[in-house]
Amino acid sequence: MAISLAAKYSDENCSLGSYIIATNDINHKKCSMALSIAMLRPSTVPIVNIMKEFEKRMQLETKKQDIEKDLLNSLSSDGLKCVELGVDAVMTRYNEWESMKQRQTENTYTSKVFVVGTFSRSSTFKFIIEQFTKKLLEIKKYSTDPSKTASKIQIICSQSTPGDEGKLMAADIPDASWLSDDDFAHELRNGHINIVIVGADCILHEGRGVINKVGTAGLASMCKKSDVPIICCADMWKLWDDIHPPPLEDIFESIPVDLFDRVLVPTD
């Protein structure tokens, strides 16, 4: 029997990437573990989790199509929840910044541009910014108070060497720009970035750490020293429930949770 589960997050349903799992002519009760181990790395944790859930449900239910449909709905729903949490976090910081700007005096200075920074490349971040921008446009459209009109926002992506994923992230978002990692750090230290949002490849068991692109830990430490909030956003399919972390390649690192101001993961 051919078993195929295609779980696809698309732009229309707030996708966080495309995950396709296919096993052909194999009994579903025997394939998951070997395939999971073969595929396992931090960035494929969602694939492994989907496989495990699919296998568990196949042992309890007989309608494969219903299982696939339910999992697809769950992926879409969790992706939306993740983005909503991220938007709320950015909006909270934006409102704080707006209040500071309105209270500024001749002896204080608050930039007229709200700057959001990021590191590496995350489709979660892309959709957060899209939804955040829509909210600001709604504020401008429906507000009758001139002081409530939306301010300009700027998206800056750190280059994220090695790999330069930041350049790709900047290309994903209209009007975004990228800076070298050193220049990004300089802007951060000088208070020119208001909030940093990053995604995650994996959230470790019992909150013992976040797996993400190497360089994230240094960035998070710098945010702490510079008093700039850094938020990590991930959907529940990136939760790794094994006490042993997935093997790390050189491009990944484990970041202590307490280096982030918040790690946002949707709950059931």
Side-chain angles (χ1 to χ4, degrees):
M1 178 179 68
I3 301 173
S4 175
L5 169 62
K8 181 180 180 182
Y9 291 137
S10 66
D11 287 351
E12 291 77 16
N13 62 17
C14 288
S15 101
L16 306 181
S18 296
Y19 307 126
I20 300 177
I21 302 165
T23 60
N24 295 312
D25 302 317
I26 309 175
N27 186 298
H28 71 271
K29 294 182 179 180
K30 298 179 181 179
C31 69
S32 284
M33 186 58 66
L35 192 52
S36 296
I37 293 173
M39 297 173 67
L40 183 57
R41 56 179 295 204
S43 59
T44 60
V45 163
I47 296 176
V48 177
N49 285 335
I50 294 167
M51 291 172 62
K52 289 165 63 178
E53 183 66 20
F54 182 74
E55 180 187 58
K56 182 175 74 174
R57 296 192 189 188
M58 281 296 291
Q59 293 175 359
L60 300 174
E61 305 174 34
T62 57
K63 295 183 178 180
K64 180 172 69 72
Q65 290 183 341
D66 290 344
I67 298 173
E68 292 180 354
K69 182 178 179 180
D70 186 56
L71 284 175
L72 284 168
N73 288 336
S74 177
L75 289 166
S76 176
S77 174
D78 291 331
L80 284 169
K81 291 176 183 177
C82 177
V83 170
E84 288 171 358
L85 289 173
V87 172
D88 287 344
V90 179
M91 185 59 73
T92 297
R93 181 60 173 170
Y94 174 82
N95 290 333
E96 294 172 351
W97 171 79
E98 280 282 9
S99 296
M100 291 174 57
K101 190 175 66 170
Q102 292 173 12
R103 294 196 304 267
Q104 70 181 6
T105 66
E106 292 181 358
N107 298 322
T108 62
Y109 172 75
T110 302
S111 170
K112 295 182 179 180
V113 180
F114 182 74
V115 182
V116 183
T118 192
F119 182 79
S120 193
R121 190 186 192 190
S122 166
S123 52
T124 302
F125 177 76
K126 173 187 175 183
F127 293 116
I128 287 172
I129 293 303
E130 285 181 356
Q131 295 304 312
F132 173 64
T133 302
K134 286 181 180 179
K135 278 200 170 186
L136 291 187
L137 290 175
E138 289 176 0
I139 292 173
K140 184 176 182 179
K141 181 178 180 180
Y142 296 108
S143 177
T144 57
D145 183 352
S147 65
K148 296 295 184 180
T149 56
S151 300
K152 183 179 179 181
I153 66 169
Q154 182 179 4
I155 311 302
I156 299 179
C157 308
S158 186
Q159 183 177 350
S160 312
T161 57
D164 295 351
E165 291 90 350
K167 291 183 179 181
L168 299 174
M169 186 78 262
D172 289 340
I173 301 173
D175 301 322
S177 60
W178 65 271
L179 295 174
S180 70
D181 293 334
D182 288 342
D183 287 345
F184 186 90
H186 176 79
E187 293 295 298
L188 194 63
R189 287 193 295 266
N190 285 279
H192 298 159
I193 297 175
N194 301 102
I195 188 172
V196 174
I197 303 290
V198 297
D201 289 285
C202 171
I203 308 294
L204 295 179
H205 182 66
E206 296 182 346
R208 289 182 299 155
V210 172
I211 305 296
N212 203 43
K213 171 75 184 288
V214 64
T216 306
L219 173 63
S221 296
M222 195 181 308
C223 285
K224 287 286 186 184
K225 295 176 182 177
S226 305
D227 198 28
V228 175
I230 178 169
I231 311 293
C232 175
C233 299
D235 66 271
M236 63 174 291
W237 292 98
K238 293 186 177 181
L239 296 174
W240 184 242
D241 61 3
D242 196 295
I243 60 172
H244 302 291
L248 297 183
E249 301 167 71
D250 291 341
I251 60 171
F252 297 105
E253 66 181 357
S254 179
I255 306 101
V257 171
D258 58 9
L259 281 183
F260 297 100
D261 287 83
R262 296 170 70 187
V263 176
L264 302 178
V265 180
T267 57
D268 291 336

